[in-house]
Amino acid sequence: MKKHLVAPSVLAADFSNLSKDFAMVNSSNADWYHVDIMDGRFVPNISFGMNIVKTMKGIAEKPLDVHLMIVEPEKYIERFREAGADVITVHYEACPHLHRTLQQIKDTGAKAGVALNPHTDVGLLELIIEEIDLVCLMSVNPGFGGQKFIYHTLSKIKKLKEIITVHNTETLIEIDGGVGLQNAEKILQAGADVLVAGSSVFKSEDPIDTISKLKAIGGKIFHV
Ligand code: DX5
Ligand code: ZN
């Protein structure tokens, strides 16, 4: 059984002292950095662009999992890769030519992810699952950190897991939004492989300990 991964979402980090928060995550047993890019068009919020991703790459000692909440992501894939993205995730809802866009991501050497909004059915990925390294199921409406987990996501995880099993692919299931110690076990039991956690890590009293606890859930051996 593969151990799940934990990806702190840096949207909740202290941007006046990124080095401090990155040093904390570097020294923790987190697996990836989750990096949210918002354009004010696909989602009603703006975060930051590739220059900041490049700065993050310079201080990160773990892979960058870059979540593009932007329209026309195909225009920026190479630039996010050059900035240091290791995984590049685009939204299903923003990609009329998803197959081509996934190929474009893989051509840069990055892993290719597809994110689904809460209302989007996982069955829509059945015909393309073999091309996808990671599916990011949004468990909140994308755009903001600190929102409440939508419990309907659990049934989406189970359905997606079945699709992945039937097609025998290595696709990872990532859950993004409202994830914390209170619900991580249920999410993992449903079949998730990657937990994204923003507020529950960075706003906790002891973020390193919270990351360790998120890793420890399930009681398996912690090797990636
Ligand atoms: C939401 C982002 C999430 C967010 C998660 O649009 O995609 O990655 O940072 O934050 P929390 O864990 O606080 O819900
Ligand atoms: Zn995200």
Side-chain angles (χ1 to χ4, degrees), residues 26-204:
N26 286 339
S27 72
S28 77
N29 55 5
D31 300 281
W32 294 347
Y33 285 87
H34 184 81
V35 180
D36 288 315
I37 310 297
M38 305 176 182
D39 66 351
R41 294 187 63 209
F42 182 72
V43 288
N45 197 9
I46 298 177
S47 59
F48 48 83
M50 46 288 266
N51 285 343
I52 301 288
V53 174
K54 194 169 174 196
T55 302
M56 291 175 170
K57 187 67 177 180
I59 55 176
E61 292 169 9
K62 298 166 194 269
L64 298 189
D65 169 34
V66 175
H67 177 194
L68 298 181
M69 284 163 275
I70 66 176
V71 298
E72 300 180 318
E74 64 281 358
K75 287 188 179 167
Y76 303 101
I77 284 165
E78 287 74 16
R79 288 169 69 194
F80 278 107
R81 175 65 176 160
E82 281 157 23
D86 295 282
V87 181
I88 299 179
T89 296
V90 293
H91 265 264
Y92 176 88
E93 301 85 1
C95 294
H97 304 287
L98 185 60
H99 190 283
R100 180 187 291 153
T101 305
L102 291 175
Q103 202 51 58
Q104 189 187 346
I105 296 172
K106 290 195 218 163
D107 286 347
T108 69
K111 296 277 183 208
V114 178
L116 299 186
N117 279 338
H119 72 279
T120 305
D121 186 354
V122 294
L124 292 166
L125 297 181
E126 177 132 34
L127 297 181
I128 198 167
I129 197 72
E130 280 154 23
E131 309 297 328
I132 307 176
D133 296 310
L134 172 144
V135 176
C136 174
L137 295 181
M138 292 308 305
S139 39
V140 297
N141 285 296
F144 302 92
Q147 303 182 78
K148 224 169 145 260
F149 182 81
I150 299 171
Y151 271 87
H152 169 65
T153 312
L154 295 176
S155 61
K156 289 178 76 175
I157 300 173
K158 288 180 193 148
K159 189 170 168 191
L160 178 59
K161 190 80 190 173
E162 275 171 32
I163 294 172
I164 290 169
T165 306
V166 166
H167 290 263
N168 196 23
T169 69
E170 300 279 305
T171 314
L172 297 176
I173 302 177
E174 175 176 76
I175 306 306
D176 186 10
V179 176
L181 292 171
Q182 75 289 356
N183 55 17
E185 186 162 15
K186 277 200 176 74
I187 294 168
L188 293 169
Q189 278 168 357
D193 303 293
V194 186
L195 300 176
V196 173
S199 325
S200 68
V201 165
F202 288 101
K203 312 286 184 223
S204 73

